[in-house]
């Protein structure tokens, strides 16, 4: 795997601010359905970004990331509907519960490596999934929980959109700082050569668990935001198929870039919305796109675009 | 709860374990020889069940229909596997595992919609012939007749796989390729063909599992989702690529689930997953030796 390139910080910061301004103004001009789709893209994008912290930067086979998304969403739903908690407390509890789940699952998983790590995570995650699926009195079983009462501000799509935009922007910023922090750099060093890091005194497992907990926290954040948008939860939120779909988003966008997974999520949600209008066979199209991608663009859309840019820059430099 | 009911329950669990074994043996074989974690293995199992349904419905007469279905459905599935392997998968063997997993996931997404297109979203079922309906009893234990048949099918597949990998030339080459594919290639053997054959054998077993399970269950979209996770976990706790490990893992799955049904029916499905977690923590690389 390659180390992500450092682009000029000022240019990307400018682009981020411009993007944020455009997103903030969008509900003024855009139709309600587009606002809804955009909100869904932001939520899914945060989920993919959080996975990429462990997958792209940590090099861990995080096969069941959706579990943390589901734990966040269900914590909020159960706390509000069964526990009678105020919504804001549920919004705080969701990410924290997800982080706790990350700590538990991560603590077990980092004992193993690669495919075994992934398999243990799938079995632990499936345990949680079955509990959610079968524990009818609390989770509603396979029906899930619907019409979760939330504050009046969130009843409208636009209200939910602004909450989602603010939290996703903040979370993405924090994730970006984490990736660039000494912790993030060490994490990437571990990905590239765990043995060498161990030898120079880095606590490899502690860093990996830390990354899983952080990723789980932000996946849980995405989970509560999903509830803010949809006001319902169902067991497929922590099913392994969703985990693989997030994986595909990271690949689609490019997991060697910071924003790639967000782009991948945007493409995937947009595709689903557009293709889903014409046919219910949209998963077939996702499958075909995925296979084309693996054959022709293994570094994802963002990765390939970056490589092109770099090659052009290098070519121009060479000629000049 | 008396003892014979417990034993009967265990026998039903064992017969279910035989289906799991047949499916996960195929997954394990492909994983061992080709190093491909095949996510669409579960789809092949589902296709096996649907094709078995179509054949049985076409034949009309139940006994003949079931016999034809079990004979032919796995061959259809093997053909699907062959096409995917030759046209796409064979170009990807040099890629890392993550890419292979995502590739097979893509195929799974496509096959799911193909099944939806061909058979629709309805539930289907196959009526077993009269001779296989009702209960068989021996030594005071009652067991549905069809499950007794399944109990016999598992060992037959196990012996057949052993004969194939140890007593045929191509099987031996496949085992050698599992250990060191470059060396096998250096000896002048066309590794690509061996891979294709191994993949087809794995797919055949998925189809066979699907065809065998068809009369005991409602055949529907989504039946691939559970089996593939279970098969992957079985292969992992058994030892990647080790077919006997797949047998041990399947037995563990089947037995813990039937014990779970007795102890706490609502959460019976939790028990095999719990057993998997315990095994993986105690023996991270599986109960038996992995070929990796």
């Amino acid at each position: 795997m390659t180390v992500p390139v450092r682009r000029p910080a000022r240019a990307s910061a400018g682009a981020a601010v411009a993007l944020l301004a455009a997103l903030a103004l969008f509900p003024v001009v855009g139709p309600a359905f587009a606002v809804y789709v955009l909100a869904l893209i932001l939520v899914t994008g945060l989920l993919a970004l959080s996975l990429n912290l462990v997958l792209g930067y940590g090099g861990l086979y995080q096969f069941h990331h959706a579990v943390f998304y589901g734990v966040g969403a269900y914590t909020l739903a159960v706390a509000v509907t069964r526990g009678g908690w105020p919504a804001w407390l549920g919004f705080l509890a969701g990410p924290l519960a997800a982080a706790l789940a990350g700590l538990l699952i991560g603590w077990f998983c980092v004992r193993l490596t690669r495919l075994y790590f992934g398999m243990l995570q799938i079995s632990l995650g499936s345990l949680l999934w079955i509990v959610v699926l079968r524990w009818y009195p609390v989770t509603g079983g396979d029906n899930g929980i619907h019409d979760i009462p939330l504050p009046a501000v969130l009843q409208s799509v636009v209200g939910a959109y602004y909450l989602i935009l603010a939290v996703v922007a903040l979370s993405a910023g924090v994730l970006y700082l984490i990736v660039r922090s000494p912790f993030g750099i060490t994490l990437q060093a571990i990905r590239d050569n765990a043995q060498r890091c161990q030898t120079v005194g880095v606590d490899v497992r502690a860093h990996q668990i830390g990354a899983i907990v952080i990723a789980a926290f932000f996946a849980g954040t995405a989970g509560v935001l999903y509830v803010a948008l949809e006001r319902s939860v169902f067991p497929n939120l922590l099913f392994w198929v969703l985990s693989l779909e997030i994986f595909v988003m990271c690949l689609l966008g490019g997991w060697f870039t910071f924003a790639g997974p967000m782009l991948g999520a945007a493409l995937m949600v947009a595709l689903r919305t557009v293709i889903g209008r014409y046919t219910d066979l949209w998963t077939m199209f996702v499958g075909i796109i995925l296979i084309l991608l693996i054959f022709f663009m293994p570094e994802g859309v963002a990765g390939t675009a970056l490589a092109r840019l770099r090659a052009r820059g290098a070519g121009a430099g060479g000629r000049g | 709860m008396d003892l014979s009911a417990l034993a009967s329950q265990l026998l039903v669990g064992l017969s279910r374990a035989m289906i799991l074994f047949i499916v996960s043996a195929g997954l394990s074989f492909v994983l061992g020889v080709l190093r491909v974690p095949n996510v669409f293995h579960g789809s092949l199992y589902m296709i096996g069940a649907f094709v078995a349904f179509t054949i049985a419905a076409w034949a009309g007469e139940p006994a003949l229909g079931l016999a034809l279905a079990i004979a032919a459905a796995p061959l259809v599935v093997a053909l699907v596997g062959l096409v995917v392997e030759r046209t796409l998968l064979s170009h990807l063997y040099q890629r890392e595992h993550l890419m292979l997993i995502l590739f097979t996931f893509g195929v799974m997404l496509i096959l799911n919609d193909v099944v939806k297109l061909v058979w629709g979203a309805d539930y289907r079922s196959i009526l077993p012939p009269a001779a296989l309906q009702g209960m068989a009893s021996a030594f005071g234990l009652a067991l549905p007749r069809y499950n007794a048949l399944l109990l016999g099918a598992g060992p037959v597949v196990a012996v057949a796989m052993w004969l194939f990998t140890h007593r045929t030339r191509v099987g031996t080459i496949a085992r050698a390729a599992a250990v060191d594919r470059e060396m096998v290639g250096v000896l002048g053997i066309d590794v690509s063909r061996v891979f294709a054959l191994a993949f087809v054998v794995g797919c055949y077993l998925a189809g066979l599992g699907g065809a065998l399970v068809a009369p005991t269950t409602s055949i529907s979209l989504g039946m691939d989702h559970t089996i593939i996770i279970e098969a992957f976990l079985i292969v992992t706790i058994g030892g990647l690529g080790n077919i006997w490990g797949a047998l041990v893992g399947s037995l563990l799955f089947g037995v813990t689930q039937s014990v779970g049904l007795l102890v706490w029916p609502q959460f019976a499905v939790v028990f095999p997953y719990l057993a998997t977690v315990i095994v993986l923590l105690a023996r991270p690389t599986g109960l038996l030796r992995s070929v990796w």
Side-chain angles (χ1 to χ4, degrees):
Chain A
M1 296 196 182
T2 52
V3 177
V5 283
R6 273 175 186 272
R7 277 176 299 163
R10 208 177 297 162
S12 11
V17 168
L19 180 67
L20 208 57
L23 286 172
L25 289 174
F26 186 76
V28 181
V29 288
F33 182 68
V35 174
Y36 165 79
V37 172
L38 205 52
L40 196 58
I41 285 175
L42 288 169
V43 171
T44 318
L46 177 58
L47 179 61
L49 279 183
S50 69
L51 170 63
N52 204 42
L53 177 69
V54 271
L55 177 68
Y57 293 98
L60 292 169
Y61 281 21
Q62 180 98 340
F63 279 179
H64 213 335
H65 196 58
V67 159
F68 307 117
Y69 184 58
V71 166
Y74 266 94
T75 303
L76 169 61
V78 170
V80 170
T81 56
R82 317 279 191 241
W85 291 20
W88 66 267
L89 200 57
F91 274 102
L92 286 181
L96 290 176
L100 185 66
L103 181 64
L104 278 173
I105 291 179
W107 188 80
F108 284 118
C109 287
V110 294
R111 265 135 244 283
L112 312 186
T113 52
R114 303 178 73 79
L115 212 53
Y116 291 103
F117 175 102
M119 285 297 144
L120 181 58
Q121 200 177 45
I122 284 189
S123 42
L124 287 165
S126 301
L127 268 177
L128 272 176
W129 171 69
I130 291 166
V131 170
V132 166
L133 193 65
R134 295 297 171 110
W135 201 7
Y136 280 87
V138 172
T139 62
D142 50 6
N143 299 318
I145 304 172
H146 301 281
D147 297 321
I148 299 161
L150 291 178
V153 187
L154 297 176
Q155 303 277 338
S156 77
V157 174
V158 174
Y161 175 84
Y162 278 113
L163 173 78
I164 288 167
L165 179 61
V167 175
V168 169
L170 186 69
S171 304
V174 172
L175 273 170
Y176 185 78
L177 290 179
I178 289 173
V179 166
R180 292 296 161 100
S181 71
F183 171 81
I185 306 286
T186 314
L187 192 64
Q188 293 166 57
I190 292 171
R191 172 195 68 196
D192 294 335
N193 194 335
Q195 211 171 8
R196 191 172 292 173
C197 289
Q198 189 90 55
T199 318
V200 297
V202 172
D203 190 340
V204 171
R205 281 183 184 175
H207 276 79
Q208 290 176 334
I209 294 178
I212 294 171
V213 170
I214 294 168
F217 178 86
F218 286 108
T221 307
V224 294
L225 292 177
Y226 179 85
V227 176
L229 185 65
E230 302 278 358
R231 283 195 292 147
S232 62
V233 290
F234 40 87
N236 272 7
L237 288 179
L238 13 63
F239 196 44
W240 66 269
V241 174
L242 178 61
S243 288
L244 269 185
E245 276 177 25
I246 320 166
F247 236 95
V248 174
M249 291 170 200
C250 289
L251 171 73
L252 187 60
W255 51 41
F256 302 131
T257 53
F258 178 77
M262 180 65 91
L263 179 67
L267 289 172
M268 190 92 149
V269 173
L271 267 177
R272 185 183 307 195
T273 313
V274 173
I275 299 175
R277 238 182 238 180
Y278 300 101
T279 164
D280 59 344
L281 299 177
W282 72 273
T283 55
M284 186 188 285
F285 286 88
V286 173
I288 292 170
I289 290 166
L290 175 58
I291 289 171
L292 288 176
L293 212 66
I294 289 168
F295 272 94
F296 300 111
M297 256 193 207
E299 291 201 6
V301 175
T304 306
L306 264 184
R308 287 267 164 81
L309 278 177
R310 242 176 294 158
R312 193 181 296 170
R319 274 195 300 273
Chain B
M1 174 70 57
D2 59 311
L3 212 59
S4 70
L6 176 80
S8 296
Q9 185 68 50
L10 274 180
L11 278 180
V12 173
L14 283 183
S15 67
R16 188 177 140 63
M18 290 304 127
I19 295 286
L20 288 174
F21 163 66
I22 292 167
V23 175
S24 49
L27 186 68
S28 188
F29 189 58
V30 169
L31 198 53
V33 178
L34 286 78
R35 309 270 152 137
V36 175
N38 183 7
V39 178
F40 70 83
H41 199 71
S43 315
L44 296 173
Y45 163 88
M46 175 169 70
I47 292 174
F50 272 107
V51 172
F53 161 78
T54 301
I55 293 174
W58 170 78
E61 204 275 313
L64 176 72
L66 187 63
L68 270 180
I70 291 174
L75 293 175
V76 175
V77 171
L79 187 66
V80 173
L82 181 67
V83 170
V84 173
E85 201 275 343
R86 285 290 92 181
T87 55
L88 298 169
L89 184 61
S90 56
H91 304 289
L92 293 174
Y93 289 138
Q94 306 304 321
R95 300 290 190 87
E96 46 184 323
H97 289 130
L98 282 185
M99 285 295 179
L100 288 170
I101 288 176
L102 288 174
F103 166 77
T104 56
F105 179 57
V107 177
M108 179 194 123
L109 294 175
I110 294 172
L111 288 181
N112 272 7
D113 272 355
V114 169
V115 170
K116 206 196 279 179
L117 269 178
V118 176
W119 284 281
D122 299 334
Y123 286 74
R124 315 284 183 147
S125 60
I126 296 179
L127 193 67
L132 287 174
Q133 288 176 11
M135 305 294 274
S137 54
F139 312 109
L141 300 175
L143 181 71
R145 287 216 178 101
Y146 191 79
N147 290 65
L149 179 93
L150 291 181
L151 273 182
V156 168
V157 169
V159 170
M161 279 305 283
W162 186 83
L163 286 175
F164 171 68
T165 51
H166 287 74
R167 287 289 177 272
T168 66
R169 190 179 134 76
V170 69
T172 316
I173 295 172
R175 271 195 307 137
V179 179
D180 191 338
R181 60 174 74 166
E182 266 118 42
M183 186 54 86
V184 172
V186 167
L187 291 174
I189 293 164
D190 187 352
V191 183
S192 166
R193 283 201 181 169
V194 177
F195 278 12
L197 180 79
F199 192 75
V200 165
V201 169
C203 296
Y204 177 88
L205 289 176
L208 182 64
L212 283 173
V213 86
T216 68
T217 177
S218 56
I219 306 161
S220 63
L221 285 171
M223 67 187 285
D224 55 333
H225 286 163
T226 349
I227 191 86
I228 187 60
I229 282 301
E230 289 179 345
F232 260 119
L233 295 179
I234 285 168
V235 166
T236 316
I237 58 179
L240 298 179
N242 187 323
I243 287 174
W244 301 112
L247 183 60
V248 173
S250 307
L251 291 175
L252 187 68
F253 244 72
V255 170
T256 46
Q257 180 145 19
S258 51
V259 169
L261 274 172
L262 294 171
V263 182
W264 198 8
Q266 195 191 355
F267 286 100
V269 265
V270 170
F271 287 73
Y273 289 89
L274 212 55
T276 308
V277 170
I278 293 168
V279 168
L280 277 181
L281 289 176
R283 288 184 65 96
T285 54
L287 292 167
L288 301 187
R289 200 173 56 83
S290 158
V291 302
W292 283 34

